[in-house]
Amino acid sequence: MQDWGPLPRRLGAKQMKARNILITGPPGCGKTTLVERLVAKIKVMVVGFITREIRERGNRVGFSIDGFDGRSAVLAHIDIESPFRVGKYGVRIETIDEIAVPSLEPTSTDALIVIDEIGKMECFSMAFRNAVVEALNAPNPVLATIAMKGDSFIGSLKARKDVSLITVNQSNRDALISSILASVRESLVRGNIE
């Protein structure tokens, strides 16, 4: 595992050889924004999902999972009654199992697997945990966001030898795009050669 921290000048092409890229950083630093910008530029088949905030009258009230296959559902909301909770949000495990998990299965080796995010809400689902490990083990490159803090499962993903761990913040987010994009493209080419 390599953690290049927030300094974009440290992101040389030689350093980003791992097939799987995990992006971490504090909440609100722009991890999802970075992933969305990368996906817009990559020009390859993408599978997986993005987690988005649900806002009402300017206030965050929940989160949705939006799959690249077009399926979408509420992941967590302040009005959901559930035994699975993160702060004020009740979490719908069925959304994870029915939308997120199937979206992580690549249809070809040319596909990029995007997981936004590997966090406490998503990790309530054992099927999700298994799907993440399968995705990281697949020949396809993975571009994922991951919680800064977490349980031993999250720690084990960050420690994998086939993972580059990149810390993002609002000041380095834009500068990271070209380095990460080059690494993803190289991983896609390597995967098709090997």
Side-chain angles (χ1 to χ4, degrees):
M1 172 188 73
Q2 294 181 353
D3 183 351
W4 293 304
L7 301 173
R9 62 184 165 74
R10 295 176 63 200
L11 290 172
K14 289 182 180 177
Q15 293 171 307
M16 293 187 71
K17 293 292 186 189
R19 181 179 73 249
N20 303 310
I21 297 171
L22 301 183
I23 299 169
T24 193
C29 72
K31 297 182 295 288
T32 298
T33 300
L34 176 59
V35 168
E36 288 178 315
R37 288 182 181 169
L38 289 163
V39 167
K41 292 179 178 287
I42 195 68
K43 307 288 188 243
V44 298
M45 181 186 306
V46 176
V47 300
F49 67 92
I50 297 284
T51 304
R52 292 195 171 89
E53 291 183 349
I54 300 170
R55 292 192 166 268
E56 293 176 6
R57 293 183 293 278
N59 297 314
R60 185 174 67 193
V61 295
F63 299 89
S64 68
I65 287 183
D66 300 332
F68 289 104
D69 59 5
R71 298 186 320 145
S72 181
V74 174
L75 166 63
H77 199 277
I78 58 174
D79 294 334
I80 292 176
E81 294 295 327
S82 171
F84 302 100
R85 300 198 68 77
V86 174
K88 61 185 177 182
Y89 305 104
V91 180
R92 295 185 71 232
I93 299 297
E94 57 271 20
T95 296
I96 300 164
D97 293 346
E98 294 169 8
I99 305 288
V101 171
S103 76
L104 299 181
E105 211 163 298
T107 52
S108 81
T109 56
D110 294 339
L112 171 66
I113 302 170
V114 174
I115 309 170
D116 176 50
E117 126 171 43
I118 305 168
K120 187 172 182 178
M121 289 183 189
E122 296 83 2
C123 287
F124 281 133
S125 165
M126 195 51 95
F128 176 77
R129 289 176 179 241
N130 292 335
V132 167
V133 171
E134 286 179 24
L136 291 170
N137 290 337
N140 304 70
V142 171
L143 176 63
T145 61
I146 191 164
M148 279 193 87
K149 299 176 184 174
D151 62 12
S152 60
F153 175 72
I154 288 176
S156 72
L157 299 179
K158 291 177 180 179
R160 288 175 58 118
K161 291 188 187 319
D162 60 353
V163 159
S164 293
L165 182 65
I166 300 169
T167 302
V168 66
N169 58 48
Q170 289 179 341
S171 63
N172 75 353
R173 182 179 65 208
D174 294 336
L176 292 171
I177 291 175
S178 61
S179 296
I180 296 173
L181 197 57
S183 181
V184 169
R185 287 181 174 147
E186 184 180 330
S187 292
L188 285 163
V189 170
R190 275 198 321 259
N192 288 324
I193 293 172
E194 295 172 344

